[in-house]
Amino acid sequence: MTTTQMEPVGTRPLTVITHSAFLTGRLLRTLWRMPTFLVIGLVQPVIWLLLFGQLFRSVVNLPGFTPGSGGFLQFLTPGVVMMTALFASAWAGTTYLQDIDRDVMDRLLTSPASRGAMMCATMAYQAIQTVVQSLVIVGIALIAGARFPGGVAGVGITVLAAVLLALAFSALSNGVALLTRQQATLIAISQFTTLPLMFLSSAVMDLHLAPSWVGDVAGYNPVEWAVVAARQAMLAHTDRGTVGTRLGLLTAVVLVMGLLATRAFRAYRKST
């Protein structure tokens, strides 16, 4: 069968899903052989959770702070989950850089696999890592004494928000990797975007205690959307409208970033 005969088949939704599953399996086998990457990715967030949770637990007594009924650890946990998803997904493009260095990318681009399947595979891989890491962080928070009145549903929404955040920024990272093909550039752009987005959110501190302009900027910050959705879901009385709106905004960002990142394959092919 010729390539021109195979291309229409590759555009069928079922075939795209099949290709995505095969390519995701390829990445998961790498993770299975070297699970240390998953474990190492949990070291820093666990330190944040346990250290900051104890170091700043008295901050809940400040006027204007609204931690909910569970103290600072309950307040902090959704923020740590989102920070973990953000920082891990910002490095997602390194997978593409490794494929480019090993000439795997060029072989994949000449195969029947669609560009969409290649992008979906790396994003699905990142989503699976995010689910595992998010559940571990919530479990450690529970062991440390945090209580989440939102129950299992609240934890589920928290994980969903983290996955959407990870999908958006893994797509961005993949697009940057395809456009620049440079590890140093990817690192610089990742640092330039993730750190300001983290500090311009309520991940670690109530925005009522921050300058008003920080709260204004946070309203347009995807990290803040994810944190607010998760934190609301963890409460006993969840504001479903707030949660639904934030998750909807995150979904829209994922779709836009996924589309733009997939189009970056064209720029990569033109530059080779």
Side-chain angles (χ1 to χ4, degrees), residues 171-193:
L172 174 63
S173 182
N174 289 337
V176 171
L178 289 170
L179 292 173
T180 65
R181 294 185 289 171
Q182 297 291 329
Q183 181 81 17
T185 305
L186 178 62
I187 293 173
I189 293 176
S190 297
Q191 296 291 335
F192 180 76
T193 55

Side-chain angles (χ1 to χ4, degrees), residues 17-179:
I17 293 174
T18 303
H19 289 172
S20 298
F22 279 126
L23 293 171
T24 303
R26 164 182 170 258
L27 297 172
L28 289 175
R29 285 192 294 273
T30 302
L31 181 63
W32 180 259
R33 289 193 294 267
M34 300 186 67
T36 52
F37 289 111
L38 188 63
V39 175
I40 291 173
L42 284 167
V43 172
Q44 189 174 33
V46 169
I47 292 175
W48 287 335
L49 190 68
L50 299 180
L51 180 61
F52 288 0
Q54 294 298 314
L55 189 61
F56 297 113
R57 62 181 179 179
S58 297
V59 77
V60 298
N61 298 321
L62 292 175
F65 196 93
T66 55
S69 60
F72 187 66
L73 191 58
Q74 176 187 322
F75 176 88
L76 181 64
T77 300
V80 172
V81 169
M82 299 314 155
M83 287 191 295
T84 305
L86 174 66
F87 291 137
S89 60
W91 293 92
T94 56
T95 300
Y96 277 176
L97 293 177
Q98 291 171 357
D99 285 344
I100 291 171
D101 291 339
R102 299 168 183 170
D103 295 327
V104 174
M105 179 64 71
D106 291 334
R107 292 198 293 270
L108 287 173
L109 289 173
T110 56
S111 72
S114 69
R115 310 296 186 266
M118 294 170 61
M119 186 61 62
C120 286
T122 55
M123 293 171 68
Y125 169 72
Q126 196 64 47
I128 293 170
Q129 286 194 81
T130 300
V131 170
V132 174
Q133 291 177 328
S134 299
L135 291 176
V136 170
I137 292 170
V138 172
I140 292 174
L142 288 170
I143 294 172
R147 294 296 177 261
F148 306 110
V152 176
V155 174
I157 292 174
T158 298
V159 173
L160 174 59
V163 167
L164 291 173
L165 186 67
L167 291 176
F169 281 92
S170 62
L172 174 63
S173 182
N174 289 337
V176 171
L178 289 170
L179 292 173

Side-chain angles (χ1 to χ4, degrees), residues 1-9 110-112:
M1 183 178 291
T2 63
T3 303
T4 55
Q5 290 175 314
M6 294 177 71
E7 284 178 352
V9 178
T110 56
S111 72

Side-chain angles (χ1 to χ4, degrees), residues 200-221:
L200 291 173
S201 75
S202 61
V204 296
M205 186 57 61
D206 194 327
L207 291 181
H208 290 97
L209 302 178
S212 58
W213 68 267
V214 176
D216 295 336
V217 174
Y220 302 94
N221 184 352

